Amino acid sequence: MKLDKYTVTSGEKFKLKEHDPGDTGDYRSKAEAVRAMADNIERMKVLQDKLYAQNEYALLIIIQAMDAAGKDGLIEHVMSGVNPQGCQVVSFKQPTSEDLDHDYLWRIAKNLPERGRIGIFNRSHYEDVLVVRVHNLIEGSQMPDRLLDPSIWKQRFRQIRNFETYLFENGIIPIKLFLNVSKEEQRQRFLARIEDPAKNWKFSAGDVAERGHWNDYMDAFEDAIQHTATKEAPWHVIPADKKWYARLLASEIIVDTLENLHLEYPRLNEAELASLEECRTMLLNEKS
Ligand code: ATP
Ligand code: MG
């Protein structure tokens, strides 16, 4: 599968408008995509087992999107085959007062995955250049006034680039997924949440108000991707109007990234092999 057209490793020329939320690549039907996805889930299982056994690298999957773009469903489906012991999902909501008493990367650093694990961030430090920017929440924050320079967002992009490069260089590999849903598809999904009693709980009136800031969010996403897409921590812009395609693509990207790590089960040295042999002999000779 060609992933290049969805991957941004250098953002200068990135234009969100050039990415169609309804794109389904070479796939014409959901059934076809579901079959390919099942295959990826099997491969992911084997790769995760090696990641865990080797206990050196960690994978950090960062998911950002507008409301109802399908973050939760994507996490549920894409990770359905992995061992829960080696996987951890963290949802970043509105910061607590303790969070706000610290720098914005504090809660992020505290929740990074351990080596050998897959960490999934449902929202992330990007909220601090998205919702915080769109609503200018930084004004009422505890940031010292004299540091609230108009270049604050550029500064944060630089901080985020450096932070993610630091993670990569320490074996914590970032995968950043932007689920690119269209405004019309979001409208349909909100309506479905209102009309279907089983989905009512997912709906909040605030989500409709947020939708009123759609263009500001798109500008903020575009700017963030332009400034934080790097070779070490690329952005993947995933068409999200068809959930089955978004999920397939995400699984493909995760498998591809894991394969590029060339993971191997740890090999025992001679002394360890000899000790294994000794244990085997003892077990074989045990009297019942
Ligand atoms: P759901 O699909 O269930 O609605 P969600 O991710 O939207 O999931 P919510 O509890 O509805 O979860 O929303 C979390 C809210 O917290 C979002 O509106 C998000 O923008 C906001 N948020 C996250 N991080 C920050 C932050 N640093 N500053 C301000 N708001 C934040
Ligand atoms: Mg929400």
Side-chain angles (χ1 to χ4, degrees):
M1 199 166 168
K2 287 288 282 172
L3 297 176
D4 290 7
K5 78 169 173 175
Y6 306 109
T7 303
V8 190
T9 50
S10 153
E12 289 121 62
K13 300 206 183 91
F14 174 73
K15 288 274 171 288
L16 197 47
K17 282 228 156 57
E18 291 168 9
H19 290 254
D20 172 12
D23 179 18
T24 58
D26 295 332
Y27 285 79
R28 292 287 151 260
S29 75
K30 178 173 175 177
E32 231 182 297
V34 167
R35 269 196 301 276
M37 169 117 166
D39 186 47
N40 283 345
I41 287 172
E42 278 310 305
R43 285 158 71 198
M44 210 187 293
K45 205 182 249 179
V46 176
L47 289 159
Q48 185 211 6
D49 201 48
K50 288 184 181 169
L51 181 82
Y52 190 84
Q54 194 181 47
N55 205 15
E56 292 177 357
Y57 284 107
L59 206 61
L60 174 63
I61 304 172
I62 295 171
I63 307 178
Q64 286 291 156
M66 296 298 280
D67 282 308
K71 291 187 273 105
D72 292 355
L74 183 130
I75 295 169
E76 182 186 334
H77 284 83
V78 175
M79 306 314 285
S80 59
V82 302
N83 181 349
Q85 282 215 89
C87 184
Q88 173 200 21
V89 183
V90 187
S91 296
F92 291 96
K93 310 265 180 185
Q94 280 165 0
T96 63
S97 58
E98 192 187 15
D99 293 334
L100 291 171
D101 241 348
H102 295 84
D103 59 282
Y104 69 97
L105 291 177
W106 180 75
R107 65 174 182 166
I108 302 300
K110 255 194 343 178
N111 284 291
L112 289 171
E114 292 168 47
R115 295 189 190 279
R117 313 289 165 109
I118 300 178
I120 301 169
F121 281 2
N122 182 349
R123 304 184 186 271
S124 66
H125 43 292
Y126 283 97
E127 293 293 322
D128 289 278
V129 291
L130 294 167
V131 65
V132 172
R133 185 176 190 184
V134 168
H135 292 286
N136 204 16
L137 301 176
I138 207 158
E139 285 277 355
S141 77
Q142 284 160 263
M143 277 285 283
D145 279 351
R146 58 192 293 192
L147 297 182
L148 295 183
D149 191 84
S151 66
I152 188 98
W153 310 113
K154 286 255 159 49
Q155 289 174 23
R156 288 198 165 183
F157 293 148
R158 170 177 44 75
Q159 292 154 7
I160 290 173
R161 279 197 309 271
N162 290 344
F163 175 64
E164 291 174 351
T165 301
Y166 161 86
L167 293 178
F168 179 87
E169 290 175 346
N170 283 280
I172 319 297
I173 310 300
I175 298 183
K176 302 187 290 190
L177 307 177
F178 168 51
L179 306 191
N180 185 24
V181 76
S182 67
K183 196 175 180 191
E184 174 53 20
E185 180 63 22
Q186 189 199 53
R187 193 174 74 92
Q188 297 295 343
R189 291 185 190 176
F190 280 170
L191 283 171
R193 287 177 178 191
I194 291 168
E195 279 151 23
D196 179 352
K199 289 183 178 169
N200 283 173
W201 65 275
K202 286 194 195 175
F203 185 74
S204 105
D207 291 350
V208 175
E210 250 355 65
R211 180 178 161 77
H213 301 282
W214 186 274
N215 291 340
D216 292 341
Y217 271 107
M218 292 306 113
D219 289 347
F221 267 113
E222 186 172 83
D223 206 28
I225 294 172
Q226 281 174 353
H227 289 92
T228 60
T230 62
K231 210 161 44 56
E232 294 80 17
W235 269 107
H236 303 278
V237 180
I238 300 202
D241 278 3
K242 290 279 181 280
K243 289 177 180 169
W244 49 264
Y245 191 61
R247 292 168 186 172
L248 170 64
L249 210 51
S251 68
E252 195 81 22
I253 290 162
I254 296 167
V255 166
D256 191 63
T257 308
L258 284 169
E259 276 174 351
N260 284 331
L261 296 178
H262 304 291
L263 302 164
E264 294 286 352
Y265 286 110
R267 277 178 213 276
L268 301 187
N269 62 31
E270 267 181 39
E272 288 163 332
L273 284 172
S275 153
L276 264 195
E277 205 43 54
E278 228 173 89
C279 291
R280 189 227 293 265
T281 313
M282 276 162 67
L283 287 167
L284 288 173
N285 295 337
E286 215 173 70
K287 298 209 171 66
S288 56

